Amino acid sequence: MPHTDNELLNAAKKLMLTEANEILHSAENLNVNIVTAAREIYACKGRVVVVGLGKSGHVGRKISATLASLGTPSFFLHAAEASHGDLGMVRREDIGLFISNSGASSEIVALLPHFRRTGAKMIAVTGSMTSPLAENADIVINAHVESEGDPLQLAPMSSTTLELVLGDALAAVVTILRGLRREDFALFHPGGSLGRKLLTRVRDVMGKGESLPVVSEGVTVKDALFVITGKGYGATCIVDSEDRLTGIFTDGDLRRLMEKAGNDAFTTRIENAMTRNPKTISPDSLAAEAVRLMENNEISVLIAVENQKPIGIIHIHELLRAGIA
């Protein structure tokens, strides 16, 4: 008899709830071993060699990648390949992080004497606290589950999910110990959107030098318009006799002035038409901060200022092109 959609939906929910309950149970029983393991990894002078096989091996690859992305040198070592030459990559100053549900796979067990002879410390994430892996490891993190959730109770589901969560928890504690900042994380991901947002400064994308639109107080709005159209920012900085910023004049200011003054708008002195105390930003601020200021103040241009003098201008379109906004 075919299964109904509702029956199949309930089966999916049951699996998810089973895995969630196993994670909750593990969290409630988690002990200081995970902290001890994190401290060892933090103090490690070598690499974290993540060892795994089968489904746990796939989890191990992800854990290794997570550690590396958070500043901990790490690589994955396939247990079956290790004994055919790859063990040569393991050094005394490394730490072995073994991921194995049973803790008794022959390929895993065969590697333990080598790590012991090398002098590299061993951390185990295993579902069996009486396994050869648990008995030989320096630190053991319990990854035992009561139910896999698999309808056949054969495929590793809850166990691999819990291994992954414990690996993430371990990486999180190491991150705290390192005092890692968002800017540090960006250094490991310079090619991604996050890296651009956390590494790009205003001075990297602002218009400066000959590109900076600027006029002095005393000129007319007509004179300022030539600068605005010539520079392409839809605005110009206004400075006093000592080149200090006193205001900004934008396309929007021009429209409002023409509504009030008509044709006389073009002969108006710029200081009588400009917006005083414009929003500014430091050239060393993150470009992402410029986006936030523009959005919060509903403006499209910001002036970069140093010592009260304008040294650059940035438009939202530049930030969009740079992948910041």
Side-chain angles (χ1 to χ4, degrees), residues 9-28 143-163 165:
L9 177 59
N10 287 335
K13 289 180 178 180
K14 181 180 178 182
L15 180 280
M16 294 175 69
L17 289 172
T18 297
E19 294 193 359
N21 286 332
E22 293 290 356
I23 293 172
L24 287 173
H25 180 72
S26 178
E28 291 169 356
H144 176 72
V145 298
E146 293 294 334
S147 173
E148 287 289 3
D150 167 34
L152 301 177
Q153 285 298 306
L154 295 174
M157 291 187 176
S158 294
S159 58
T160 50
T161 299
L162 181 56
E163 289 168 354
V165 170

PDB file of all heavy atoms in Angstrom, residues 9-28 143-163 165:
ATOM      1  N   LEU A   9       5.767  12.899   5.502  1.00  0.00           N
ATOM      2  CA  LEU A   9       6.143  14.143   6.165  1.00  0.00           C
ATOM      3  C   LEU A   9       6.436  13.887   7.638  1.00  0.00           C
ATOM      4  O   LEU A   9       7.412  14.398   8.193  1.00  0.00           O
ATOM      5  CB  LEU A   9       5.023  15.172   6.020  1.00  0.00           C
ATOM      6  CG  LEU A   9       5.234  16.520   6.721  1.00  0.00           C
ATOM      7  CD1 LEU A   9       6.490  17.209   6.206  1.00  0.00           C
ATOM      8  CD2 LEU A   9       4.006  17.413   6.540  1.00  0.00           C
ATOM      9  N   ASN A  10       5.611  13.090   8.273  1.00  0.00           N
ATOM     10  CA  ASN A  10       5.822  12.767   9.685  1.00  0.00           C
ATOM     11  C   ASN A  10       7.124  11.999   9.906  1.00  0.00           C
ATOM     12  O   ASN A  10       7.799  12.172  10.922  1.00  0.00           O
ATOM     13  CB  ASN A  10       4.643  11.970  10.234  1.00  0.00           C
ATOM     14  CG  ASN A  10       3.406  12.835  10.431  1.00  0.00           C
ATOM     15  OD1 ASN A  10       3.511  14.049  10.609  1.00  0.00           O
ATOM     16  ND2 ASN A  10       2.224  12.220  10.396  1.00  0.00           N
ATOM     17  N   ALA A  11       7.458  11.142   8.929  1.00  0.00           N
ATOM     18  CA  ALA A  11       8.713  10.393   9.035  1.00  0.00           C
ATOM     19  C   ALA A  11       9.913  11.339   8.984  1.00  0.00           C
ATOM     20  O   ALA A  11      10.888  11.179   9.730  1.00  0.00           O
ATOM     21  CB  ALA A  11       8.809   9.370   7.909  1.00  0.00           C
ATOM     22  N   ALA A  12       9.819  12.344   8.105  1.00  0.00           N
ATOM     23  CA  ALA A  12      10.898  13.326   8.007  1.00  0.00           C
ATOM     24  C   ALA A  12      11.016  14.124   9.304  1.00  0.00           C
ATOM     25  O   ALA A  12      12.120  14.357   9.814  1.00  0.00           O
ATOM     26  CB  ALA A  12      10.651  14.271   6.828  1.00  0.00           C
ATOM     27  N   LYS A  13       9.879  14.533   9.852  1.00  0.00           N
ATOM     28  CA  LYS A  13       9.883  15.282  11.110  1.00  0.00           C
ATOM     29  C   LYS A  13      10.445  14.439  12.251  1.00  0.00           C
ATOM     30  O   LYS A  13      11.203  14.940  13.095  1.00  0.00           O
ATOM     31  CB  LYS A  13       8.459  15.738  11.458  1.00  0.00           C
ATOM     32  CG  LYS A  13       7.914  16.831  10.559  1.00  0.00           C
ATOM     33  CD  LYS A  13       6.504  17.221  10.990  1.00  0.00           C
ATOM     34  CE  LYS A  13       5.950  18.352  10.138  1.00  0.00           C
ATOM     35  NZ  LYS A  13       4.584  18.733  10.554  1.00  0.00           N
ATOM     36  N   LYS A  14      10.073  13.169  12.260  1.00  0.00           N
ATOM     37  CA  LYS A  14      10.551  12.283  13.323  1.00  0.00           C
ATOM     38  C   LYS A  14      12.074  12.177  13.301  1.00  0.00           C
ATOM     39  O   LYS A  14      12.734  12.205  14.352  1.00  0.00           O
ATOM     40  CB  LYS A  14       9.924  10.894  13.164  1.00  0.00           C
ATOM     41  CG  LYS A  14      10.344   9.907  14.249  1.00  0.00           C
ATOM     42  CD  LYS A  14       9.684   8.553  14.037  1.00  0.00           C
ATOM     43  CE  LYS A  14      10.148   7.570  15.113  1.00  0.00           C
ATOM     44  NZ  LYS A  14       9.540   6.223  14.904  1.00  0.00           N
ATOM     45  N   LEU A  15      12.615  12.043  12.085  1.00  0.00           N
ATOM     46  CA  LEU A  15      14.082  11.971  11.956  1.00  0.00           C
ATOM     47  C   LEU A  15      14.744  13.243  12.479  1.00  0.00           C
ATOM     48  O   LEU A  15      15.707  13.194  13.242  1.00  0.00           O
ATOM     49  CB  LEU A  15      14.445  11.730  10.491  1.00  0.00           C
ATOM     50  CG  LEU A  15      15.919  11.605  10.065  1.00  0.00           C
ATOM     51  CD1 LEU A  15      16.598  12.953   9.927  1.00  0.00           C
ATOM     52  CD2 LEU A  15      16.692  10.698  10.993  1.00  0.00           C
ATOM     53  N   MET A  16      14.203  14.389  12.092  1.00  0.00           N
ATOM     54  CA  MET A  16      14.793  15.657  12.513  1.00  0.00           C
ATOM     55  C   MET A  16      14.699  15.834  14.024  1.00  0.00           C
ATOM     56  O   MET A  16      15.646  16.297  14.669  1.00  0.00           O
ATOM     57  CB  MET A  16      14.107  16.824  11.795  1.00  0.00           C
ATOM     58  CG  MET A  16      14.349  16.836  10.292  1.00  0.00           C
ATOM     59  SD  MET A  16      13.426  18.128   9.426  1.00  0.00           S
ATOM     60  CE  MET A  16      14.273  19.584  10.034  1.00  0.00           C
ATOM     61  N   LEU A  17      13.585  15.467  14.597  1.00  0.00           N
ATOM     62  CA  LEU A  17      13.416  15.594  16.045  1.00  0.00           C
ATOM     63  C   LEU A  17      14.328  14.623  16.793  1.00  0.00           C
ATOM     64  O   LEU A  17      14.853  14.952  17.864  1.00  0.00           O
ATOM     65  CB  LEU A  17      11.955  15.347  16.430  1.00  0.00           C
ATOM     66  CG  LEU A  17      10.980  16.459  16.011  1.00  0.00           C
ATOM     67  CD1 LEU A  17       9.542  16.023  16.260  1.00  0.00           C
ATOM     68  CD2 LEU A  17      11.280  17.749  16.766  1.00  0.00           C
ATOM     69  N   THR A  18      14.531  13.438  16.216  1.00  0.00           N
ATOM     70  CA  THR A  18      15.444  12.466  16.835  1.00  0.00           C
ATOM     71  C   THR A  18      16.851  13.036  16.895  1.00  0.00           C
ATOM     72  O   THR A  18      17.528  12.976  17.933  1.00  0.00           O
ATOM     73  CB  THR A  18      15.441  11.146  16.046  1.00  0.00           C
ATOM     74  OG1 THR A  18      14.133  10.575  16.088  1.00  0.00           O
ATOM     75  CG2 THR A  18      16.441  10.156  16.634  1.00  0.00           C
ATOM     76  N   GLU A  19      17.304  13.588  15.775  1.00  0.00           N
ATOM     77  CA  GLU A  19      18.644  14.175  15.751  1.00  0.00           C
ATOM     78  C   GLU A  19      18.742  15.367  16.703  1.00  0.00           C
ATOM     79  O   GLU A  19      19.746  15.525  17.409  1.00  0.00           O
ATOM     80  CB  GLU A  19      19.003  14.590  14.322  1.00  0.00           C
ATOM     81  CG  GLU A  19      19.145  13.408  13.371  1.00  0.00           C
ATOM     82  CD  GLU A  19      19.795  13.780  12.054  1.00  0.00           C
ATOM     83  OE1 GLU A  19      20.126  14.978  11.869  1.00  0.00           O
ATOM     84  OE2 GLU A  19      19.995  12.900  11.206  1.00  0.00           O
ATOM     85  N   ALA A  20      17.702  16.202  16.720  1.00  0.00           N
ATOM     86  CA  ALA A  20      17.714  17.361  17.612  1.00  0.00           C
ATOM     87  C   ALA A  20      17.778  16.925  19.072  1.00  0.00           C
ATOM     88  O   ALA A  20      18.505  17.516  19.880  1.00  0.00           O
ATOM     89  CB  ALA A  20      16.478  18.220  17.370  1.00  0.00           C
ATOM     90  N   ASN A  21      17.032  15.885  19.419  1.00  0.00           N
ATOM     91  CA  ASN A  21      17.035  15.395  20.800  1.00  0.00           C
ATOM     92  C   ASN A  21      18.396  14.821  21.189  1.00  0.00           C
ATOM     93  O   ASN A  21      18.836  14.966  22.335  1.00  0.00           O
ATOM     94  CB  ASN A  21      15.945  14.335  20.983  1.00  0.00           C
ATOM     95  CG  ASN A  21      14.554  14.957  21.019  1.00  0.00           C
ATOM     96  OD1 ASN A  21      14.386  16.106  21.414  1.00  0.00           O
ATOM     97  ND2 ASN A  21      13.554  14.193  20.587  1.00  0.00           N
ATOM     98  N   GLU A  22      19.062  14.167  20.235  1.00  0.00           N
ATOM     99  CA  GLU A  22      20.393  13.636  20.523  1.00  0.00           C
ATOM    100  C   GLU A  22      21.383  14.781  20.785  1.00  0.00           C
ATOM    101  O   GLU A  22      22.239  14.683  21.672  1.00  0.00           O
ATOM    102  CB  GLU A  22      20.891  12.766  19.358  1.00  0.00           C
ATOM    103  CG  GLU A  22      20.108  11.470  19.156  1.00  0.00           C
ATOM    104  CD  GLU A  22      20.340  10.457  20.282  1.00  0.00           C
ATOM    105  OE1 GLU A  22      21.162  10.717  21.182  1.00  0.00           O
ATOM    106  OE2 GLU A  22      19.688   9.401  20.250  1.00  0.00           O
ATOM    107  N   ILE A  23      21.241  15.867  20.029  1.00  0.00           N
ATOM    108  CA  ILE A  23      22.113  17.030  20.247  1.00  0.00           C
ATOM    109  C   ILE A  23      21.834  17.648  21.616  1.00  0.00           C
ATOM    110  O   ILE A  23      22.755  17.980  22.370  1.00  0.00           O
ATOM    111  CB  ILE A  23      21.910  18.069  19.129  1.00  0.00           C
ATOM    112  CG1 ILE A  23      22.417  17.509  17.794  1.00  0.00           C
ATOM    113  CG2 ILE A  23      22.641  19.375  19.459  1.00  0.00           C
ATOM    114  CD1 ILE A  23      22.085  18.378  16.598  1.00  0.00           C
ATOM    115  N   LEU A  24      20.554  17.791  21.960  1.00  0.00           N
ATOM    116  CA  LEU A  24      20.193  18.361  23.261  1.00  0.00           C
ATOM    117  C   LEU A  24      20.709  17.496  24.408  1.00  0.00           C
ATOM    118  O   LEU A  24      21.241  18.010  25.402  1.00  0.00           O
ATOM    119  CB  LEU A  24      18.673  18.511  23.360  1.00  0.00           C
ATOM    120  CG  LEU A  24      18.055  19.630  22.515  1.00  0.00           C
ATOM    121  CD1 LEU A  24      16.530  19.547  22.575  1.00  0.00           C
ATOM    122  CD2 LEU A  24      18.535  21.000  22.982  1.00  0.00           C
ATOM    123  N   HIS A  25      20.571  16.189  24.253  1.00  0.00           N
ATOM    124  CA  HIS A  25      21.041  15.270  25.293  1.00  0.00           C
ATOM    125  C   HIS A  25      22.559  15.383  25.447  1.00  0.00           C
ATOM    126  O   HIS A  25      23.089  15.395  26.572  1.00  0.00           O
ATOM    127  CB  HIS A  25      20.650  13.833  24.941  1.00  0.00           C
ATOM    128  CG  HIS A  25      21.093  12.827  25.959  1.00  0.00           C
ATOM    129  ND1 HIS A  25      20.505  12.704  27.196  1.00  0.00           N
ATOM    130  CD2 HIS A  25      22.092  11.906  25.922  1.00  0.00           C
ATOM    131  CE1 HIS A  25      21.112  11.753  27.884  1.00  0.00           C
ATOM    132  NE2 HIS A  25      22.078  11.246  27.127  1.00  0.00           N
ATOM    133  N   SER A  26      23.267  15.487  24.317  1.00  0.00           N
ATOM    134  CA  SER A  26      24.718  15.615  24.365  1.00  0.00           C
ATOM    135  C   SER A  26      25.124  16.928  25.031  1.00  0.00           C
ATOM    136  O   SER A  26      26.065  16.972  25.828  1.00  0.00           O
ATOM    137  CB  SER A  26      25.301  15.538  22.951  1.00  0.00           C
ATOM    138  OG  SER A  26      26.705  15.704  22.965  1.00  0.00           O
ATOM    139  N   ALA A  27      24.408  18.013  24.697  1.00  0.00           N
ATOM    140  CA  ALA A  27      24.722  19.319  25.283  1.00  0.00           C
ATOM    141  C   ALA A  27      24.542  19.295  26.801  1.00  0.00           C
ATOM    142  O   ALA A  27      25.342  19.868  27.548  1.00  0.00           O
ATOM    143  CB  ALA A  27      23.848  20.401  24.658  1.00  0.00           C
ATOM    144  N   GLU A  28      23.493  18.602  27.256  1.00  0.00           N
ATOM    145  CA  GLU A  28      23.223  18.535  28.693  1.00  0.00           C
ATOM    146  C   GLU A  28      24.302  17.750  29.434  1.00  0.00           C
ATOM    147  O   GLU A  28      24.573  18.003  30.612  1.00  0.00           O
ATOM    148  CB  GLU A  28      21.854  17.885  28.925  1.00  0.00           C
ATOM    149  CG  GLU A  28      20.682  18.759  28.480  1.00  0.00           C
ATOM    150  CD  GLU A  28      19.365  18.001  28.468  1.00  0.00           C
ATOM    151  OE1 GLU A  28      19.384  16.761  28.728  1.00  0.00           O
ATOM    152  OE2 GLU A  28      18.323  18.617  28.188  1.00  0.00           O
ATOM    153  N   ALA A 143      30.457  11.195  21.923  1.00  0.00           N
ATOM    154  CA  ALA A 143      29.510  11.458  20.844  1.00  0.00           C
ATOM    155  C   ALA A 143      28.482  10.331  20.743  1.00  0.00           C
ATOM    156  O   ALA A 143      27.981  10.019  19.662  1.00  0.00           O
ATOM    157  CB  ALA A 143      30.251  11.621  19.518  1.00  0.00           C
ATOM    158  N   HIS A 144      28.156   9.723  21.888  1.00  0.00           N
ATOM    159  CA  HIS A 144      27.215   8.594  21.887  1.00  0.00           C
ATOM    160  C   HIS A 144      25.799   9.055  21.579  1.00  0.00           C
ATOM    161  O   HIS A 144      25.354  10.103  22.057  1.00  0.00           O
ATOM    162  CB  HIS A 144      27.231   7.896  23.246  1.00  0.00           C
ATOM    163  CG  HIS A 144      26.228   6.793  23.358  1.00  0.00           C
ATOM    164  ND1 HIS A 144      26.381   5.594  22.692  1.00  0.00           N
ATOM    165  CD2 HIS A 144      25.043   6.718  24.040  1.00  0.00           C
ATOM    166  CE1 HIS A 144      25.344   4.822  22.960  1.00  0.00           C
ATOM    167  NE2 HIS A 144      24.525   5.484  23.773  1.00  0.00           N
ATOM    168  N   VAL A 145      25.084   8.272  20.777  1.00  0.00           N
ATOM    169  CA  VAL A 145      23.666   8.529  20.508  1.00  0.00           C
ATOM    170  C   VAL A 145      22.868   7.261  20.813  1.00  0.00           C
ATOM    171  O   VAL A 145      23.375   6.148  20.678  1.00  0.00           O
ATOM    172  CB  VAL A 145      23.417   8.961  19.036  1.00  0.00           C
ATOM    173  CG1 VAL A 145      24.135  10.259  18.725  1.00  0.00           C
ATOM    174  CG2 VAL A 145      23.840   7.870  18.046  1.00  0.00           C
ATOM    175  N   GLU A 146      21.636   7.463  21.218  1.00  0.00           N
ATOM    176  CA  GLU A 146      20.749   6.336  21.497  1.00  0.00           C
ATOM    177  C   GLU A 146      20.064   5.835  20.240  1.00  0.00           C
ATOM    178  O   GLU A 146      19.790   4.651  20.097  1.00  0.00           O
ATOM    179  CB  GLU A 146      19.691   6.749  22.535  1.00  0.00           C
ATOM    180  CG  GLU A 146      20.249   7.037  23.921  1.00  0.00           C
ATOM    181  CD  GLU A 146      20.815   5.784  24.572  1.00  0.00           C
ATOM    182  OE1 GLU A 146      20.365   4.669  24.225  1.00  0.00           O
ATOM    183  OE2 GLU A 146      21.732   5.921  25.412  1.00  0.00           O
ATOM    184  N   SER A 147      19.766   6.746  19.318  1.00  0.00           N
ATOM    185  CA  SER A 147      19.054   6.370  18.098  1.00  0.00           C
ATOM    186  C   SER A 147      19.601   7.139  16.911  1.00  0.00           C
ATOM    187  O   SER A 147      19.827   8.356  16.991  1.00  0.00           O
ATOM    188  CB  SER A 147      17.555   6.659  18.241  1.00  0.00           C
ATOM    189  OG  SER A 147      16.881   6.442  17.012  1.00  0.00           O
ATOM    190  N   GLU A 148      19.835   6.418  15.826  1.00  0.00           N
ATOM    191  CA  GLU A 148      20.308   7.070  14.604  1.00  0.00           C
ATOM    192  C   GLU A 148      19.185   7.822  13.898  1.00  0.00           C
ATOM    193  O   GLU A 148      19.425   8.724  13.117  1.00  0.00           O
ATOM    194  CB  GLU A 148      20.917   6.037  13.646  1.00  0.00           C
ATOM    195  CG  GLU A 148      22.276   5.499  14.081  1.00  0.00           C
ATOM    196  CD  GLU A 148      23.377   6.545  13.946  1.00  0.00           C
ATOM    197  OE1 GLU A 148      23.088   7.695  13.571  1.00  0.00           O
ATOM    198  OE2 GLU A 148      24.539   6.204  14.228  1.00  0.00           O
ATOM    199  N   GLY A 149      17.943   7.412  14.142  1.00  0.00           N
ATOM    200  CA  GLY A 149      16.825   8.052  13.462  1.00  0.00           C
ATOM    201  C   GLY A 149      16.513   7.438  12.123  1.00  0.00           C
ATOM    202  O   GLY A 149      15.415   7.612  11.586  1.00  0.00           O
ATOM    203  N   ASP A 150      17.457   6.718  11.567  1.00  0.00           N
ATOM    204  CA  ASP A 150      17.269   6.026  10.295  1.00  0.00           C
ATOM    205  C   ASP A 150      16.147   4.989  10.439  1.00  0.00           C
ATOM    206  O   ASP A 150      16.144   4.206  11.393  1.00  0.00           O
ATOM    207  CB  ASP A 150      18.582   5.343   9.911  1.00  0.00           C
ATOM    208  CG  ASP A 150      18.412   4.346   8.788  1.00  0.00           C
ATOM    209  OD1 ASP A 150      17.575   4.587   7.906  1.00  0.00           O
ATOM    210  OD2 ASP A 150      19.121   3.323   8.808  1.00  0.00           O
ATOM    211  N   PRO A 151      15.179   4.957   9.521  1.00  0.00           N
ATOM    212  CA  PRO A 151      14.095   3.971   9.616  1.00  0.00           C
ATOM    213  C   PRO A 151      14.600   2.536   9.720  1.00  0.00           C
ATOM    214  O   PRO A 151      13.950   1.680  10.329  1.00  0.00           O
ATOM    215  CB  PRO A 151      13.303   4.179   8.311  1.00  0.00           C
ATOM    216  CG  PRO A 151      13.567   5.608   7.954  1.00  0.00           C
ATOM    217  CD  PRO A 151      14.979   5.868   8.377  1.00  0.00           C
ATOM    218  N   LEU A 152      15.777   2.264   9.159  1.00  0.00           N
ATOM    219  CA  LEU A 152      16.354   0.918   9.230  1.00  0.00           C
ATOM    220  C   LEU A 152      17.284   0.746  10.426  1.00  0.00           C
ATOM    221  O   LEU A 152      17.740  -0.372  10.700  1.00  0.00           O
ATOM    222  CB  LEU A 152      17.128   0.606   7.942  1.00  0.00           C
ATOM    223  CG  LEU A 152      16.328   0.659   6.636  1.00  0.00           C
ATOM    224  CD1 LEU A 152      17.243   0.397   5.450  1.00  0.00           C
ATOM    225  CD2 LEU A 152      15.187  -0.348   6.661  1.00  0.00           C
ATOM    226  N   GLN A 153      17.615   1.877  11.102  1.00  0.00           N
ATOM    227  CA  GLN A 153      18.591   1.876  12.194  1.00  0.00           C
ATOM    228  C   GLN A 153      19.930   1.282  11.744  1.00  0.00           C
ATOM    229  O   GLN A 153      20.602   0.559  12.483  1.00  0.00           O
ATOM    230  CB  GLN A 153      18.045   1.107  13.399  1.00  0.00           C
ATOM    231  CG  GLN A 153      16.977   1.855  14.184  1.00  0.00           C
ATOM    232  CD  GLN A 153      17.500   3.154  14.792  1.00  0.00           C
ATOM    233  OE1 GLN A 153      18.498   3.150  15.506  1.00  0.00           O
ATOM    234  NE2 GLN A 153      16.835   4.263  14.488  1.00  0.00           N
ATOM    235  N   LEU A 154      20.299   1.624  10.526  1.00  0.00           N
ATOM    236  CA  LEU A 154      21.556   1.132   9.971  1.00  0.00           C
ATOM    237  C   LEU A 154      22.481   2.264   9.526  1.00  0.00           C
ATOM    238  O   LEU A 154      23.693   2.201   9.741  1.00  0.00           O
ATOM    239  CB  LEU A 154      21.282   0.198   8.786  1.00  0.00           C
ATOM    240  CG  LEU A 154      20.537  -1.112   9.109  1.00  0.00           C
ATOM    241  CD1 LEU A 154      20.202  -1.860   7.824  1.00  0.00           C
ATOM    242  CD2 LEU A 154      21.398  -1.993  10.018  1.00  0.00           C
ATOM    243  N   ALA A 155      21.908   3.257   8.871  1.00  0.00           N
ATOM    244  CA  ALA A 155      22.720   4.352   8.341  1.00  0.00           C
ATOM    245  C   ALA A 155      23.057   5.357   9.437  1.00  0.00           C
ATOM    246  O   ALA A 155      22.201   5.701  10.245  1.00  0.00           O
ATOM    247  CB  ALA A 155      21.974   5.052   7.202  1.00  0.00           C
ATOM    248  N   PRO A 156      24.301   5.819   9.491  1.00  0.00           N
ATOM    249  CA  PRO A 156      24.669   6.833  10.490  1.00  0.00           C
ATOM    250  C   PRO A 156      24.021   8.182  10.158  1.00  0.00           C
ATOM    251  O   PRO A 156      24.334   8.787   9.136  1.00  0.00           O
ATOM    252  CB  PRO A 156      26.196   6.902  10.388  1.00  0.00           C
ATOM    253  CG  PRO A 156      26.505   6.445   9.004  1.00  0.00           C
ATOM    254  CD  PRO A 156      25.451   5.435   8.647  1.00  0.00           C
ATOM    255  N   MET A 157      23.133   8.611  10.993  1.00  0.00           N
ATOM    256  CA  MET A 157      22.454   9.899  10.802  1.00  0.00           C
ATOM    257  C   MET A 157      22.640  10.778  12.034  1.00  0.00           C
ATOM    258  O   MET A 157      23.332  11.779  12.002  1.00  0.00           O
ATOM    259  CB  MET A 157      20.977   9.679  10.477  1.00  0.00           C
ATOM    260  CG  MET A 157      20.731   9.053   9.120  1.00  0.00           C
ATOM    261  SD  MET A 157      18.989   8.979   8.681  1.00  0.00           S
ATOM    262  CE  MET A 157      19.088   8.323   7.021  1.00  0.00           C
ATOM    263  N   SER A 158      22.029  10.369  13.147  1.00  0.00           N
ATOM    264  CA  SER A 158      22.199  11.150  14.379  1.00  0.00           C
ATOM    265  C   SER A 158      23.659  11.228  14.788  1.00  0.00           C
ATOM    266  O   SER A 158      24.140  12.269  15.254  1.00  0.00           O
ATOM    267  CB  SER A 158      21.388  10.530  15.517  1.00  0.00           C
ATOM    268  OG  SER A 158      20.005  10.626  15.276  1.00  0.00           O
ATOM    269  N   SER A 159      24.382  10.126  14.613  1.00  0.00           N
ATOM    270  CA  SER A 159      25.782  10.101  15.064  1.00  0.00           C
ATOM    271  C   SER A 159      26.647  11.079  14.273  1.00  0.00           C
ATOM    272  O   SER A 159      27.461  11.806  14.846  1.00  0.00           O
ATOM    273  CB  SER A 159      26.357   8.684  14.952  1.00  0.00           C
ATOM    274  OG  SER A 159      26.274   8.208  13.620  1.00  0.00           O
ATOM    275  N   THR A 160      26.466  11.124  12.947  1.00  0.00           N
ATOM    276  CA  THR A 160      27.280  12.050  12.156  1.00  0.00           C
ATOM    277  C   THR A 160      26.864  13.498  12.399  1.00  0.00           C
ATOM    278  O   THR A 160      27.704  14.404  12.400  1.00  0.00           O
ATOM    279  CB  THR A 160      27.176  11.718  10.656  1.00  0.00           C
ATOM    280  OG1 THR A 160      25.786  11.590  10.286  1.00  0.00           O
ATOM    281  CG2 THR A 160      27.901  10.434  10.324  1.00  0.00           C
ATOM    282  N   THR A 161      25.559  13.703  12.618  1.00  0.00           N
ATOM    283  CA  THR A 161      25.101  15.060  12.939  1.00  0.00           C
ATOM    284  C   THR A 161      25.720  15.527  14.245  1.00  0.00           C
ATOM    285  O   THR A 161      26.200  16.658  14.359  1.00  0.00           O
ATOM    286  CB  THR A 161      23.568  15.110  13.043  1.00  0.00           C
ATOM    287  OG1 THR A 161      22.997  14.731  11.793  1.00  0.00           O
ATOM    288  CG2 THR A 161      23.093  16.512  13.408  1.00  0.00           C
ATOM    289  N   LEU A 162      25.731  14.653  15.253  1.00  0.00           N
ATOM    290  CA  LEU A 162      26.299  15.014  16.549  1.00  0.00           C
ATOM    291  C   LEU A 162      27.811  15.237  16.434  1.00  0.00           C
ATOM    292  O   LEU A 162      28.361  16.160  17.053  1.00  0.00           O
ATOM    293  CB  LEU A 162      26.001  13.936  17.584  1.00  0.00           C
ATOM    294  CG  LEU A 162      26.530  14.204  18.997  1.00  0.00           C
ATOM    295  CD1 LEU A 162      26.007  15.536  19.525  1.00  0.00           C
ATOM    296  CD2 LEU A 162      26.154  13.063  19.939  1.00  0.00           C
ATOM    297  N   GLU A 163      28.492  14.408  15.661  1.00  0.00           N
ATOM    298  CA  GLU A 163      29.936  14.609  15.458  1.00  0.00           C
ATOM    299  C   GLU A 163      30.207  15.992  14.875  1.00  0.00           C
ATOM    300  O   GLU A 163      31.128  16.700  15.306  1.00  0.00           O
ATOM    301  CB  GLU A 163      30.492  13.536  14.514  1.00  0.00           C
ATOM    302  CG  GLU A 163      30.555  12.147  15.118  1.00  0.00           C
ATOM    303  CD  GLU A 163      30.827  11.069  14.079  1.00  0.00           C
ATOM    304  OE1 GLU A 163      30.854  11.402  12.866  1.00  0.00           O
ATOM    305  OE2 GLU A 163      30.994   9.900  14.459  1.00  0.00           O
ATOM    306  N   VAL A 165      28.272  18.679  15.060  1.00  0.00           N
ATOM    307  CA  VAL A 165      27.952  19.723  16.041  1.00  0.00           C
ATOM    308  C   VAL A 165      29.062  19.825  17.092  1.00  0.00           C
ATOM    309  O   VAL A 165      29.459  20.932  17.489  1.00  0.00           O
ATOM    310  CB  VAL A 165      26.591  19.443  16.698  1.00  0.00           C
ATOM    311  CG1 VAL A 165      26.349  20.372  17.871  1.00  0.00           C
ATOM    312  CG2 VAL A 165      25.475  19.597  15.668  1.00  0.00           C
TER     313      VAL A 165
END
